[in-house]
Amino acid sequence: MQYMRWIKWAAIAFAAFYLFTRPTHAADAVRGAVGTVQTGAERAATFVSAVVK
């Protein structure tokens, strides 16, 4: 599982590089990811509410 360790460190290095070279784009990416999670949570809550009724 040595390759998983390298993949993890490569992803961390890429994220740090992206954050320092393009902070505005990095912030937009985080905002988009959080928005996607929020939308999914809202839809799941609506589904559960509809099932419980």
Side-chain angles (χ1 to χ4, degrees):
M1 291 290 224
Q2 186 71 13
Y3 65 91
M4 292 299 287
R5 187 172 166 196
W6 282 103
I7 290 172
K8 180 177 76 171
W9 281 111
I12 291 170
F14 176 74
F17 173 77
Y18 193 63
L19 178 65
F20 287 116
T21 59
R22 298 187 183 265
T24 305
H25 291 135
D28 289 340
V30 170
R31 221 176 282 122
V34 170
T36 300
V37 170
Q38 182 179 6
T39 300
E42 289 172 356
R43 291 179 182 176
T46 301
F47 171 75
V48 170
S49 295
V51 169
V52 173
K53 283 185 180 181

